[in-house]
Amino acid sequence: MTQTHAHRDMTIVVTGATGRTGRRVAEAARAAGAKVRAASRATGFDWRSRATWADVLRGADAAYLAYPTDVGDPEAAEAVGALAREAARLGVRRLALLSARGEDRARPTEEALAGAGAEWTVVRAAWFAQNFSEGPLARELRQRGALEFPAGEVGEPFVDVRDVADVVVAALASGDRYAGRVLEVSGPRLLTFGEAVAEIAKATGRALTYRYVPPREYGANLAGFGVPEQEAAFLVELFGTLLDG
């Protein structure tokens, strides 16, 4: 998409600035001419400690909010709502929330953002293409040459995180053009997880395979990898509803 140009004196707070989306949002914001204020544990910010929020938010013009586990996490609505209200109290005018396309569990968090008193935009993204190059799915492919995941023949419009970042920066830097709107961001075509793995195999020259496993079996695998029981149960329910095409 066309790069948005931000005011040179615009300061954007980026939560999770070293993470998968936050890093790209920070890069896109700087490329657009904005000043970036990174909000992560490395800079003293902690989603679970409200005492760390004001110093990060004070004096900023806008903020990108990405809840660290999942926007549908039972704790996300309260945390995002409280942070958004604090941002509005401190004069942060615009907020953009990373949400998930097709995830009903995310709606309470989106509503908490909308009721906080600042201009807001929700960016609902499809599955990230970078999930196959960064994080646990990528590690599984590299180490085992195979991926087991609870997605059958469902087509997903995988999206490049860099495109998501451009949309976020446009929402924050384009005045009120995207205020009060939900933007759904997806990629150019549908691929099943099996087709995606096949394309990666072709590009890398490696023999990579994909096997569908039911959500509950996947949850048992997660528990075997040391994922806490409550988190594994949440992911099982999430994938059971999200991967529906």
Side-chain angles (χ1 to χ4, degrees):
M1 63 180 292
T2 302
Q3 182 66 59
T4 296
H5 293 284
H7 295 294
R8 290 287 173 182
D9 59 351
M10 184 178 191
T11 298
I12 298 177
V13 172
V14 178
T15 62
T18 58
R20 192 169 306 164
T21 64
R23 175 161 52 88
R24 272 94 175 183
V25 169
E27 291 170 355
R30 291 189 184 101
K35 299 174 183 176
V36 171
R37 187 180 296 170
S40 66
R41 289 189 177 183
T43 61
F45 173 84
D46 188 343
W47 273 98
R48 295 181 180 276
S49 177
R50 299 189 183 194
T52 68
W53 296 355
D55 286 345
V56 170
L57 295 168
R58 189 175 288 110
D61 301 290
Y64 166 66
L65 309 182
Y67 195 70
T69 52
D70 184 85
V71 71
D73 187 310
E75 298 179 354
E78 181 179 353
V80 168
L83 181 64
R85 289 190 297 274
E86 179 72 350
R89 184 183 72 81
L90 293 170
V92 181
R93 297 193 301 273
R94 301 170 193 153
L95 304 174
L97 172 71
L98 176 67
S99 191
R101 186 172 175 270
E103 185 176 342
D104 291 340
R105 281 173 165 265
R107 301 302 174 263
T109 306
E110 296 177 0
E111 292 167 2
L113 174 79
E119 292 182 2
W120 60 270
T121 305
V122 170
V123 179
R124 291 179 185 162
W127 278 78
F128 302 146
Q130 280 80 358
N131 284 335
F132 293 107
S133 59
E134 303 172 20
L137 300 189
R139 285 195 297 272
E140 187 174 348
L141 279 172
R142 289 193 187 101
Q143 294 171 6
R144 299 176 53 201
L147 177 65
E148 294 183 347
F149 200 69
E153 294 303 312
V154 170
E156 176 67 22
F158 296 100
V159 65
D160 192 309
V161 177
R162 292 170 296 183
D163 291 335
V164 177
D166 281 346
V167 171
V168 168
V169 173
L172 294 175
S174 299
D176 60 359
R177 180 177 179 183
Y178 299 106
R181 293 179 59 182
V182 175
L183 308 178
E184 296 211 356
V185 187
S186 62
R189 60 191 177 117
L190 292 172
L191 289 171
T192 67
F193 273 67
E195 289 169 342
V197 170
E199 291 209 2
I200 296 169
K202 182 179 179 180
T204 60
R206 289 192 61 189
L208 304 174
T209 60
Y210 172 77
R211 184 174 80 88
Y212 166 78
V213 294
R216 289 189 180 279
E217 183 179 338
Y218 185 71
N221 293 344
L222 290 175
F225 294 145
V227 176
E229 182 178 349
Q230 186 174 359
E231 182 178 345
F234 167 74
L235 290 173
V236 166
E237 186 174 347
L238 175 63
F239 294 146
T241 57
L242 187 60
L243 297 169
D244 63 356

